[in-house]
Amino acid sequence: MAISAVKGFRDGLGSAARLYSEIETSAIRVLERYGFSQIRLPILERTELFARAIGETTDIVEKEMYTFPDRDGTLLTLRPEGTASAVRAFVEHHLDQTDSVTKLYYSGPIFRHERPQKGRYRQFEQIGAELFGRDDPLADAEVLTCVRDVLDELGLATARIMINSLGDASCRPKYRERLRAWGEEHRAELCPNCVRRIEKNPLRLLDCKEEGCRKLSETAPLLRDSLCEPCASHFAQVRSLLDAMGVVYEVDPRLVRGLDYYERTSFEVTAEGLGSQAAVAGGGRYDGLVARLGGPKIAAIGFAFGLDRLALAVQAARATAEQDAALALVPAVFIASLGADTRADALALARKLRRLGVRVELDGGRSLKSLMRRADRLGAPRVLILGEDEVAVRRGTLRHMTEQRDEKQAVDFDLEGPALLEAVGVAR
RNA sequence: GUGGGUGUAGCUCAGGGGUAGAGCACCGGAUUGUGGCUCCGGGGGUCGUGGGUUCAAAGCCCACCACUCACCCCA
């Protein structure tokens, strides 16, 4: 029996793999314009870190982590998100002592043991960014502008940004209680899931998908009306800055996030073409987290893009075979080696060209017909044919595919550098 | 964790008790060293796995597994 990949873990092949790196590159380009610098983080951390950062009672910590004991018994976890690690590194390296503001980005695999479905995998990739040291609304607006710029750069103009304010330590607990009281009052009318939520996570009562609960939740108290004055003012300023920038967003008073550390501004981005897992990015402010993880009292805000979902969205947005084909690796020259006596020269020429930066596909050991067919299928514009005749005069025949024309003795085997490039018709 | 759908060639899928198929892809030939179009030929399958029913199972029955979509949750 052949061994297959673990459930929820996938291989990225061909154009899919290229799409990923293309998206990652564009996103990083935007992030660096905003002053974020890369941090390379471990994907394994002490379980304790996530339990403390994300919250003991969240779904992620309760049942979605890949946790196992190390040889000495300490519990380790494959990271189920990136912010906790970034904050841990920030604290561990005393980055607040270096500069009053720190901006970091990272990318890489994230692990959650969930049931896989479209756009949801057990290993997926995130590109995340964290901004430490600024608590002003300007920082929130700048971060959201950055998110918008990444989306636009990727051609996801139809992606929607949803924002909300979750309040802070001074107003959210009170609101939670109000919501819980409301839930108790309507316990009989709520779906079984929501009944559990009353105790566990009352904020989730707001975004149940059940028709009955949705109707009912319209009568629930809204956090918006319970925000303390500083939170309300902060949110209003963020919004007016976004308005001034022309960054389009929607306020979703029901937006609730699954990680406990968020407060004040939080947001989510949804895109089309993803099935029911429509969120391609999420983030928010987490002013209390650095201190909770043993660091100084420092405000912070961050977000993460789901690379896998971005790829689905980008694919849906461009969706034509042509654009997909544009991602294929097309060789500039295909070298066809006929017969054993031509191998060494073929390999030498291929290597010279490759060292000059030319994408070369080399093949041999079978009929010219099949080599030509393959060159054609790969889309190579020129084929350098090396057979007995060519080796005898040490000059290769150059086949121009689109013109259906052969150019005999076009490429001298001993050419180097620009002369060689010119001979095979490759512009530098 | 719960539910639905699907498992037959590398890919997309047809076949519903009686000799395993098509299209595409791949390889070869027509054209001794020249691609796309056409024609001809070829290789490739424990029909997801295990058990059962039957003279006979890819097909019917049971169990399991995998994939997938959805719930949940999230990126």
Side-chain angles (χ1 to χ4, degrees):
Chain A
M1 207 43 187
I3 297 173
S4 60
V6 175
K7 184 201 281 281
F9 290 66
R10 308 169 305 145
D11 302 305
L13 298 120
S15 62
R18 287 211 76 208
L19 181 60
Y20 270 52
S21 43
E22 195 185 67
I23 291 172
E24 191 176 16
T25 306
S26 334
I28 286 172
R29 191 166 52 232
V30 175
L31 291 173
E32 289 185 339
R33 278 184 212 144
Y34 274 80
F36 291 94
S37 61
Q38 190 184 37
I39 180 168
R40 304 191 69 106
L41 295 165
I43 59 172
L44 198 61
E45 298 274 5
R46 294 170 196 275
T47 302
E48 171 67 13
L49 172 67
F50 300 118
R52 250 206 279 171
I54 302 170
E56 295 280 2
T57 63
T58 56
D59 278 19
I60 293 177
V61 171
E62 274 185 347
K63 51 192 192 203
E64 296 174 2
M65 298 203 302
Y66 278 91
T67 297
F68 58 92
D70 199 356
R71 291 179 175 228
D72 66 0
T74 55
L75 279 181
L76 302 178
T77 295
L78 287 169
R79 64 177 181 192
E81 63 114 27
T83 300
S85 294
V87 172
R88 194 222 78 233
F90 177 85
V91 172
E92 189 164 339
H93 300 287
H94 309 287
L95 296 183
D96 60 303
Q97 305 287 310
T98 312
D99 190 343
S100 58
V101 173
T102 302
K103 300 182 199 174
L104 303 172
Y105 78 79
Y106 58 86
S107 68
I110 304 285
F111 304 86
R112 287 184 205 165
H113 195 112
E114 296 184 89
R115 190 78 173 255
Q117 70 184 79
K118 182 170 184 169
R120 190 174 74 185
Y121 315 104
R122 289 183 174 180
Q123 176 179 326
F124 57 102
E125 289 196 50
Q126 284 191 351
I127 303 167
E130 318 289 349
L131 190 168
F132 298 91
R134 285 175 58 194
D135 62 3
D136 53 306
L138 178 60
D140 304 46
E142 193 183 355
V143 158
L144 281 160
T145 307
C146 178
V147 167
R148 183 76 255 174
D149 284 355
V150 170
L151 294 168
D152 289 349
E153 183 91 358
L154 295 174
L156 298 177
T158 60
R160 298 158 61 192
I161 297 178
M162 249 80 73
I163 68 174
N164 191 21
S165 176
L166 299 179
D168 64 10
S170 79
C171 52
R172 182 141 57 133
K174 289 178 204 154
Y175 173 68
R176 263 176 89 96
E177 284 320 305
R178 283 184 60 192
L179 203 53
R180 180 167 288 158
W182 173 86
E184 289 294 352
E185 202 177 311
H186 297 87
R187 177 179 276 269
E189 305 154 71
L190 293 166
C191 73
N193 268 328
C194 282
V195 170
R196 273 193 293 119
R197 288 172 175 140
I198 296 173
E199 270 314 307
K200 211 182 108 185
N201 197 348
L203 295 183
R204 286 262 162 225
L205 289 170
L206 295 177
D207 71 345
C208 183
K209 271 111 192 162
E210 292 279 333
E211 187 60 28
C213 296
R214 271 184 16 210
K215 276 242 170 70
L216 191 61
S217 74
E218 281 166 23
T219 70
L222 283 177
L223 180 52
R224 186 166 49 191
D225 307 320
S226 303
L227 290 180
C228 58
E229 200 284 323
C231 283
S233 157
H234 183 96
F235 193 44
Q237 291 176 64
V238 172
R239 282 161 50 189
S240 77
L241 283 167
L242 292 175
D243 292 339
M245 291 302 301
V247 171
V248 178
Y249 62 89
E250 294 159 54
V251 175
D252 178 358
R254 286 161 206 289
L255 177 66
V256 172
R257 318 228 58 253
L259 296 83
D260 284 353
Y261 52 65
Y262 288 117
E263 46 185 70
R264 292 198 165 175
T265 311
S266 73
F267 51 91
E268 204 165 279
V269 179
T270 58
E272 294 170 341
L274 293 183
S276 66
Q277 304 300 323
V280 295
R285 184 165 274 290
Y286 49 94
D287 292 342
L289 184 59
V290 178
R292 199 186 328 163
L293 293 181
K297 282 197 177 64
I298 278 184
I301 180 169
F303 60 87
F305 281 96
L307 184 51
D308 308 77
R309 291 186 186 171
L310 281 179
L312 286 172
V314 168
Q315 230 166 3
R318 42 193 200 191
T320 69
E322 260 170 60
Q323 282 159 323
D324 194 51
L327 280 175
L329 284 172
V330 177
V333 184
F334 185 103
I335 298 185
S337 155
L338 301 173
D341 293 344
T342 71
R343 289 188 212 144
D345 289 314
L347 184 56
L349 277 165
R351 189 179 191 210
K352 277 198 279 190
L353 285 164
R354 285 168 175 158
R355 287 184 157 197
L356 290 165
V358 180
R359 195 176 287 164
V360 178
E361 183 64 19
L362 171 66
D363 198 355
R366 51 199 171 123
S367 74
L368 179 59
K369 180 195 184 76
S370 67
L371 294 171
M372 290 297 295
R373 189 161 47 222
R374 178 148 184 264
D376 180 59
R377 192 164 52 81
L378 296 179
R382 279 169 295 277
V383 178
L384 181 57
I385 299 170
L386 303 182
E388 276 177 42
D389 302 351
E390 287 78 9
V391 169
V393 297
R394 296 191 58 72
R395 284 161 182 276
T397 297
L398 194 61
R399 170 73 173 177
H400 298 265
M401 299 295 271
T402 47
E403 302 156 42
Q404 307 184 51
R405 173 171 67 85
D406 275 3
E407 193 181 342
K408 301 256 186 204
Q409 305 199 2
V411 181
D412 191 304
F413 290 6
D414 300 318
L415 288 176
E416 303 273 353
L420 178 58
L421 291 177
E422 194 180 334
V424 296
V426 177
R428 276 228 79 171

